[in-house]
Amino acid sequence: MKLTIFEKKVLNLVKKIPRGKLTTYKLLAKAVGQSKAARAVGNALNKNPRLIKISCHRVIRSDGRLGGYRLGWKRKMLLLKREGIEFEKNKVKNFKKYIQN
DNA sequence: CTATTGACGACAT
DNA sequence: CATGTCGCCAATA
């Protein structure tokens, strides 16, 4: 499985997110120099070859909603709760305070 | 080269 | 708050 440059960039940033912190597809896009490629970022994570090793569950939507996850958003939510993150109505409560800058 | 496909985002209704 | 629309983009067929 070979990864494209774009995918590598994204995955490398994602794996650095510390436990209990979050980031968004949009921020990642900006971080790799393509502020409008949030959607493409999501696709990159979807292809994530090491779903187990890379914590792609810490990436959410810019509006605080969870966004997708290969194994289902419920699973994603569980993992986040396990890291001490709280929810309300399918949205992360005060998500801005968890964002990793 | 063109068309399609989404783990998206901003805005309108 | 819930949907729908439209624009964006990298990857793929």
Side-chain angles (χ1 to χ4, degrees), chain A residues 23-29 38 41-42 45 59-61 66-68 76:
Chain A
T23 189
T24 68
Y25 298 98
K26 183 180 173 134
L27 288 176
L28 279 177
V41 168
L45 294 185
V59 185
I60 66 175
R61 293 182 60 132
L66 286 188
K76 189 172 182 176

Side-chain angles (χ1 to χ4, degrees), chain A residues 45-48 51 56 68-73 75-76:
Chain A
L45 294 185
N46 183 33
K47 273 190 173 184
N48 184 352
L51 184 56
C56 46
Y69 191 63
R70 205 88 182 347
L71 308 179
W73 65 273
R75 183 64 183 279
K76 189 172 182 176

Side-chain angles (χ1 to χ4, degrees), chain A residues 13 16-18 20-24 26-28 30-31 58 95-101:
Chain A
L13 288 179
K16 291 177 187 162
I17 304 172
K21 288 283 182 180
L22 302 174
T23 189
T24 68
K26 183 180 173 134
L27 288 176
L28 279 177
K30 181 171 295 186
R58 300 193 184 124
F95 74 95
K96 291 178 183 176
K97 85 175 185 183
Y98 297 110
I99 299 298
Q100 172 69 69
N101 285 308

Side-chain angles (χ1 to χ4, degrees), chain A residues 22 59-68 72-78 80-81 85-95:
Chain A
L22 302 174
V59 185
I60 66 175
R61 293 182 60 132
S62 59
D63 59 2
R65 281 165 47 201
L66 286 188
W73 65 273
K74 292 187 176 180
R75 183 64 183 279
K76 189 172 182 176
M77 177 184 244
L78 184 64
L80 291 176
K81 279 184 172 176
I85 291 175
E86 302 184 280
F87 291 78
E88 67 176 359
K89 293 282 186 176
N90 300 335
K91 283 178 69 179
V92 177
K93 188 179 178 186
N94 303 100
F95 74 95

